[in-house]
Amino acid sequence: MCDRERGCSEVPVPKVTTWQLSAGSAVIGLALAAGLIAASGPWDSGQRKAERDWAAARDRTGGADHGSAAHSAGPAPAPSAPGVLAALGGSSAVPTGTGLGKTLGHLMDDPALGRTAGGVVIDAATGRTLYGSEADRPLTPASTVKLATMAAGLSALGPDHRIATTVTATPDGKRLTLRGGGDPTLDRDGLRALADATVKVERDRGVSSVRIAYDTSLYSGPVLHPIGPNDNIAPVSALMTDEGRLGGGSGGSDSEASAEEGDHGPAPRTGDPAGDTARTFASMLADRSVHSTGAPAPGKSPADAKPVARTYSAPLSALVERALTNSDNDIAEAVARQTALAAHEPASFAGAGRAVRAQLKKLGLPLDGARFADGSGLNRQDKVSPTLLATLLTRAGDPAHPELRPILTGLPIAGFTGTLDGRYTDPSGAGGLIHAKTGTLTGVNTLAGTVVDARGRLLAFAFMASGTVSPTAAQSALDRLGTAVASCGCAG
């Protein structure tokens, strides 16, 4: 599923591929040149999940070429956006607050948006707020909180960061430890690479019988998300395979999915992702004539143990794109904990929340009233303002922050990809022009992203609604707001 890079000489290095379709997100003006192109999917456990994204299902990483053939060079960051902002924001007229207010005001009053709604529109080239309604009020963001999680992770770790899974062995080779580094996308191919590399070392030592332990100590705090066992997220463990999925994923946040999409969307989850992974690893060793003397058990590497095999996740840039396009909760929680580790905080829900907030503060983002109870947005205790989300998106397009560019290239594209592939499909709508992260919990509907308006300006927006009654009606109301921003020159 994920591309792997050589950690030890025994682990092969497939090349990271590029998802061409999302290039339109990095060079958003192409969507404008292409013109307008022309529902919602099933509910699952109170939240829609992504995702008929054929590109993500094939593990293509998104708009930028984040891979590199050379391990020493590492994956390149996503491209910076000076050309995008210059082309779309340099000469065209800037919309006025009066014009946008006239266009959006009555749409924000739609009863479908529930008891409380807030929205904001910011000019991406200048950072100037063009429209605001309850823009600074903290509201429950649902999955749009992933924008904050990913911004913090990219800022703290860099887009080329990769998460390692390691096998260590004692000097005599008779005790092996499978040590989780927090990669939720580790798949059977990665485990096979670890098994092959480990068996080579063991054969060289003449060892055919081992004891196997598995180490999840990198993470701390509760393993279960506060929502409890749920098809939308596995227990949060430092060691797991295929996000703890027991079966193929199905349709996600805003669309139905094809049968081939087994790596994203809701699916039954194991209650013991680390133990299952270790047992699968032991079985792979046995298939290669290195047998375990007993069942794998939890434990840390002995002090004298040394690494004998290692495999890596795809670069963080690719994980961010996948998480945003598919609204992937497991990757989001992993990125939050990687951010905590970088900040020397406990890799727990609480530690990750502190680390994310601290990193966003370094980016100069408006955090009044913000709270980060988790990294995925499943927790209703999360609170952010529309201004925070839109300012974050503007910062991601700032040439001074190229490390944040995967946030823009990972946004679902209206009518095309991820959680927006089934929305904005009306030929007269804004398909292809709106790139936005969705968020949906029962009674909560949000949309935050970027759009090219009728005059060619690149705008960042965030619309948030709480206390909604009909998810379909609320999503339609949000889509009308996005379409209005796209179609309105609003210079008068």
Side-chain angles (χ1 to χ4, degrees), residues 159-412:
D160 57 347
H161 175 75
R162 294 180 184 241
I163 307 171
T165 305
T166 307
V167 178
T168 67
T170 51
D172 61 8
K174 293 183 178 180
R175 294 182 63 186
L176 301 177
T177 304
L178 180 61
R179 189 168 64 202
D183 176 15
T185 67
L186 176 69
D187 58 13
R188 293 181 70 88
D189 287 342
L191 276 182
R192 288 189 192 98
L194 288 173
D196 288 339
T198 301
V199 166
K200 183 179 184 301
V201 173
E202 296 295 74
R203 285 175 178 167
D204 289 345
R205 293 174 173 174
V207 176
S208 60
S209 179
V210 297
R211 291 173 57 193
I212 300 174
Y214 56 94
D215 184 357
T216 62
S217 63
L218 191 66
Y219 285 3
S220 60
V223 172
L224 280 180
H225 189 281
I227 63 170
N230 193 281
D231 284 358
N232 287 305
I233 189 170
V236 184
S237 172
L239 178 65
M240 65 171 66
T241 311
D242 293 328
E243 301 184 345
R245 296 173 181 277
L246 296 175
S250 60
S253 291
D254 301 288
S255 64
E256 297 177 353
S258 63
E260 66 186 356
E261 294 179 339
D263 67 344
H264 57 278
R269 309 298 181 108
T270 175
D272 184 16
D276 285 354
T277 299
R279 287 184 285 273
T280 300
F281 178 68
S283 176
M284 290 177 174
L285 292 182
D287 290 343
R288 292 155 177 79
S289 300
V290 174
H291 298 275
S292 173
T293 57
K300 294 185 178 181
S301 295
D304 59 350
K306 302 295 183 185
V308 295
R310 182 172 287 129
T311 189
Y312 291 89
S313 71
L316 182 59
S317 55
L319 297 182
V320 165
E321 289 180 334
R322 175 174 162 181
L324 294 179
T325 299
N326 295 329
S327 201
D328 193 301
N329 298 311
D330 301 281
I331 293 176
E333 296 300 347
V335 172
R337 278 159 178 72
Q338 295 293 309
T339 304
L341 292 170
H344 306 291
E345 289 275 6
S348 61
F349 285 108
R354 290 192 296 269
V356 167
R357 183 183 180 89
Q359 202 61 42
L360 297 180
K361 183 177 181 180
K362 291 180 182 178
L363 288 171
L365 296 174
L367 293 169
D368 287 350
R371 181 181 178 188
F372 304 99
D374 68 0
S376 61
L378 289 168
N379 195 322
R380 293 174 179 274
Q381 299 304 310
D382 292 322
K383 301 293 177 184
V384 303
S385 68
T387 295
L388 170 57
L389 293 177
T391 303
L392 186 157
L393 289 162
T394 301
R395 193 78 82 247
D398 186 341
H401 290 282
E403 76 281 1
L404 301 181
R405 212 67 73 244
I407 292 173
L408 298 183
T409 58
L411 292 174

